[in-house]
Amino acid sequence: QVQLVESGGGSVQSGGSLKLVCTINGYTTGRGVMGWFRQVVGQEREGVAGFRVDGSTAYADSVKGRFHISHDNAKNSLYLEMLNLSPEDTATYYCAAGPFTWQTSLLLPATYNYWGQGTQVTVSS
């Protein structure tokens, strides 16, 4: 059974940073596609960052230059480093995993089969 568990969320002031961690059981990181999404209550889930096993990555325009996705195969973990946070980054953040594909965008939820339960990030001004 595949299980993804996010951690590292919290409350920070504008301009601060956080590093989210996704610990994965039953699925090997670097095997297909992996990504981070975020969602605000009442809004659609938004793709933040993703990568494919071939090394290609994608970032939402709103986070380019501030967020960085990485993974550690030895620890079977996925990370999202978030710098220079703003109140607009406030959301519940989810990690996701799925089989390798070129056919859909790394920033689309439909690309992924497995999801974590989410971790809250709150940025105050």
Side-chain angles (χ1 to χ4, degrees):
Q1 182 178 358
V2 179
Q3 185 178 30
L4 286 69
V5 180
E6 302 94 339
S7 62
S11 298
V12 296
Q13 290 191 330
S14 183
S17 61
L18 285 172
K19 186 173 185 177
L20 304 183
V21 180
C22 177
T23 303
I24 302 158
N25 295 310
Y27 196 87
T28 302
T29 62
R31 174 179 167 181
V33 295
M34 303 205 69
W36 287 95
F37 289 74
R38 64 187 182 188
Q39 189 169 22
V40 176
V41 173
Q43 298 183 15
E44 292 187 354
R45 191 165 293 191
E46 174 192 20
V48 174
F51 79 86
R52 293 185 181 89
V53 66
D54 65 354
S56 58
T57 58
Y59 291 90
D61 288 343
S62 60
V63 307
K64 282 181 181 177
R66 299 189 299 121
F67 289 14
H68 177 67
I69 187 171
S70 62
H71 65 103
D72 186 332
N73 289 344
K75 295 182 178 180
N76 226 31
S77 295
L78 179 71
Y79 307 97
L80 184 69
E81 185 174 21
M82 306 184 294
L83 306 176
N84 193 23
L85 287 161
S86 71
E88 290 70 32
D89 296 315
T90 294
T92 301
Y93 283 71
Y94 300 88
C95 64
F100 182 85
T101 180
W102 275 107
Q103 296 181 347
T104 56
S105 168
L106 289 170
L107 301 181
L108 286 178
T111 299
Y112 301 87
N113 293 356
Y114 307 106
W115 294 85
Q117 294 300 306
T119 185
Q120 178 66 34
V121 172
T122 302
V123 185
S124 58
S125 57

